[in-house]
Amino acid sequence: MTFAATVLTLYPEMFPGPLGVSLAGRAMADGKWSLDAVQIRDFATDKHRTVDDTPAGGGAGMVLRADVLAAAIDASVAPGIPLLAMTPRGKPLTQARVRSLAAGPGVAILCGRFEGFDERLFEAREIEPVSIGDYVLSGGEVGALVLLDACVRLLPGVMGAASSGDEESFESGLLEYPHYTRPQMWEGRSIPEVLRSGDHAKIAAWRKSQAEIITRSRRPDLWERHIGARVQPPSGARHEEEE
Ligand code: ADE
């Protein structure tokens, strides 16, 4: 099955961009996913092909028109395909959401520019606002590339059997442990001895503890959630010690 991606944008020439090379590019050439970049401006109705207008109530910048965007959506987004809008006002993108999207038939992504979208669009169509982080980009296109990259690498047969992704950062609620490779000695620094021990149980324990140390120091938010999930039994459940 082909994962069908549709991107609605004022800059279709930005696609596939980096997704046309390496892992994602090969997967596209192999027919594992497809990408349709739709020019929003093609759905404007006036002779100047206007897509935006000044904000109601005044203020800086321009706002994308709901009527033009709705026409673009209605003409190019297939029923049953989740429709996301890239905006810093959206819900932060997570690996869990990426995984659920990658397991589905595809995704349509609306890319904002200027000050954003006319809010009525979100009332009139089923649209999930998504942010890729707490910073402001000049438009949603880079966010769409990020989201698609994250989805495509999870499609069946794209990463290969060697990396199922199960041990990656976020999959276990922790950041990943550190990696090393040859040379054994580099600029006076050696690879941790345990990794050369051949003792797989010891290596697994070391990696787990490293993942915990790094998560605790770099991402206290993830660490708190991890600890909370571990120590709090689901409500109504009995403690193991009590059994
Ligand atoms: N457009 C502008 N900033 C963005 C962000 N942080 N995430 C998604 N889309 C955006």
Side-chain angles (χ1 to χ4, degrees), residues 77-145:
V77 181
I81 299 283
L83 172 59
L84 279 51
M86 282 296 156
T87 163
R89 297 176 65 229
K91 236 173 112 172
L93 183 64
T94 61
Q95 186 66 15
R97 186 67 186 115
V98 166
R99 214 167 247 294
S100 73
L101 287 170
V107 65
I109 309 172
L110 189 52
C111 299
R113 282 266 151 183
F114 319 120
E115 288 310 301
F117 310 96
D118 184 319
E119 191 67 19
R120 291 171 295 177
L121 187 70
F122 295 95
E123 299 159 12
R125 297 291 182 279
E126 202 175 313
I127 302 173
E128 179 184 336
V130 171
S131 165
I132 63 155
D134 291 342
Y135 37 79
V136 181
L137 305 168
S138 51
E141 286 78 8
V142 170
L145 291 168

Side-chain angles (χ1 to χ4, degrees), residues 145-226:
L145 291 168
V146 166
L147 186 144
L148 290 175
D149 181 285
C151 287
V152 167
R153 62 189 288 282
L154 295 181
L155 298 177
V158 171
M159 272 198 297
S163 43
S164 68
D166 290 349
E167 289 204 4
E168 286 179 341
S169 292
F170 309 116
E171 291 296 349
S172 64
L174 293 174
L175 301 183
E176 207 183 356
Y177 52 80
H179 299 280
Y180 299 86
T181 189
R182 279 180 285 271
Q184 157 60 18
M185 185 63 79
W186 176 72
E187 293 194 351
R189 298 161 197 277
S190 60
I191 292 174
E193 203 50 49
V194 59
L195 297 179
R196 305 203 305 143
S197 67
D199 183 335
H200 295 295
K202 229 164 94 181
I203 291 170
W206 181 84
R207 284 177 168 166
K208 180 164 177 279
S209 100
Q210 288 290 309
E212 289 172 353
I213 290 165
I214 224 110
T215 304
R216 198 171 176 172
S217 86
R218 289 184 188 169
R219 292 292 304 273
D221 57 325
L222 284 185
W223 179 248
E224 286 304 319
R225 208 180 313 155
H226 178 74

